[in-house]
Amino acid sequence: MGDASDRQANVALRRVWITRALPGALVTARRVRGQGFEAVVAPLLAVRALGEGPIDLKGIGAIAFTSANGVAAFAVRSPARGLPVFAVGEATAAAARAAGFARVRSADGDVEALATAIAAHGDELDGAVLHPGAAEPAGDLVAQLASLGLEARSMAIYETVPEPVSAGLRAMMPGFHAVLVH
């Protein structure tokens, strides 16, 4: 009997709870499994699209994305792919390229780095910068762009909402090797 409980304890010591929202949690789970751990995908947040119908791009000269979630939500609501795109980092830039945007620049940083990167190309823009993003963004890109003399607009196109923790997951909690919080 000791062998079975020892094996069960060893599995629990290799179990990692991934709290990241879908679909990103699945990417993280593959990486965790690749490291020899058991991945338990149970997001604490869900990403939900906001709004319906096409996005009005009249007067817009560029799009600024601060997350892959913003790219995905925008891509569903707009077929436009011709505007230049500025992305906060390479993962977001890769998501924009995968969505069909051809002119994508990555700031490889945070919201401040993104604002600086956009301002460096401000003379090339033919209109305002649109920031389609979260309902509650982590930073204020529009204010930063305004402080740099650029016209910008934000548009909430997705939100993150809490997901309840299931009773089954609660029962597993003492047995996690690690919890990845995103």
Side-chain angles (χ1 to χ4, degrees):
M1 180 153 146
D3 288 341
S5 63
D6 288 346
R7 278 195 302 276
Q8 194 172 24
N10 286 336
V11 168
L13 290 176
R14 303 286 300 165
R15 187 177 292 146
V16 176
W17 176 14
I18 299 166
T19 66
R20 185 178 188 185
L22 294 171
L26 301 176
V27 174
T28 302
R30 277 195 301 274
R31 293 178 74 188
V32 165
R33 287 183 191 109
Q35 296 293 317
F37 292 92
E38 176 191 353
V40 177
V41 175
L44 291 177
L45 295 173
V47 177
R48 294 192 184 142
L50 296 174
E52 295 179 2
I55 295 173
D56 182 7
L57 296 174
K58 186 176 181 181
I60 300 299
I63 303 168
F65 291 117
T66 52
S67 73
N69 291 325
V71 174
F74 181 89
V76 168
R77 293 194 43 206
S78 177
R81 299 294 185 269
L83 290 169
V85 167
F86 295 89
V88 71
E90 191 49 45
T92 304
R97 289 183 196 102
F101 292 96
R103 299 185 304 166
V104 180
R105 291 186 176 105
S106 173
D108 292 323
D110 56 13
V111 172
E112 187 176 321
L114 179 57
T116 301
I118 295 168
H121 297 278
D123 59 338
E124 301 168 22
L125 304 179
D126 187 26
V129 176
L130 176 65
H131 173 227
E136 294 182 30
D140 192 347
L141 178 62
V142 171
Q144 288 189 31
L145 290 171
S147 75
L148 295 170
L150 294 173
E151 181 186 353
R153 299 178 204 150
S154 64
M155 177 181 201
I157 60 171
Y158 75 92
E159 66 180 344
T160 53
V161 295
E163 286 287 317
V165 175
S166 71
L169 183 64
R170 253 188 245 111
M172 295 172 73
M173 282 188 183
F176 283 105
H177 173 76
V179 178
L180 301 182
V181 180
H182 289 260

